Amino acid sequence: QVQLVESGGGSVQAGGSLRLSCAASAYAYAPLYMAWFRQAPGKEREGVATIDNDAGTTYADSVKGRFTISQDNSKNTLYLQMNSLKPEDTAMYSCAAAYTYWASLSPADYNYWGQGTQVTVSS
């Protein structure tokens, strides 16, 4: 069982930045992949970025060059630095953990989820 708690969401104007955090706890074995997903009203959940235990990363095309995923293993915390935010980035952002052996931005591959934190970008 992995418990995930996100923080850092909020409201920002277009072009601004936010950093999301996800604190992980209560696991016996560290997840092999951690990821950020987002879901806007009326849309399907979308994979944003994923990171493995060797700090290898994968990003959705829509956020490449603007978002950076990272993790601090000593603090069991996952981060998402979001720069140059756009109104279309507005969504509920959730972190997730997986014990798969491949990088994936598909929600179906993730076993554990946080409750989410809202990000709103105004134009």
Side-chain angles (χ1 to χ4, degrees):
Q1 185 78 15
V2 180
Q3 295 180 359
L4 304 171
V5 180
E6 302 94 337
S7 61
S11 297
V12 64
Q13 289 190 328
S17 299
L18 283 174
R19 189 175 83 154
L20 306 183
S21 299
C22 171
S25 62
Y27 54 81
Y29 302 95
L32 299 181
Y33 283 92
M34 297 288 292
W36 287 98
F37 290 82
R38 66 186 182 186
Q39 188 168 21
K43 295 188 176 181
E44 292 188 354
R45 182 172 281 173
E46 173 191 22
V48 175
T50 184
I51 187 168
D52 63 29
N53 285 338
D54 293 324
T57 58
T58 302
Y59 293 93
D61 288 343
S62 58
V63 305
K64 280 182 182 176
R66 300 189 299 122
F67 290 11
T68 302
I69 188 172
S70 62
Q71 60 188 2
D72 184 337
N73 291 328
S74 67
K75 297 181 180 179
N76 296 330
T77 302
L78 178 73
Y79 301 100
L80 184 68
Q81 177 66 45
M82 304 186 294
N83 298 328
S84 302
L85 282 161
K86 304 175 181 180
E88 51 264 44
D89 294 319
T90 295
M92 179 69 75
Y93 284 72
S94 301
C95 63
Y99 289 91
T100 55
Y101 290 90
W102 57 89
S104 172
L105 291 176
S106 170
D109 288 328
Y110 287 81
N111 311 99
Y112 303 98
W113 294 83
Q115 292 298 310
T117 185
Q118 178 67 37
V119 172
T120 302
V121 184
S122 59
S123 57

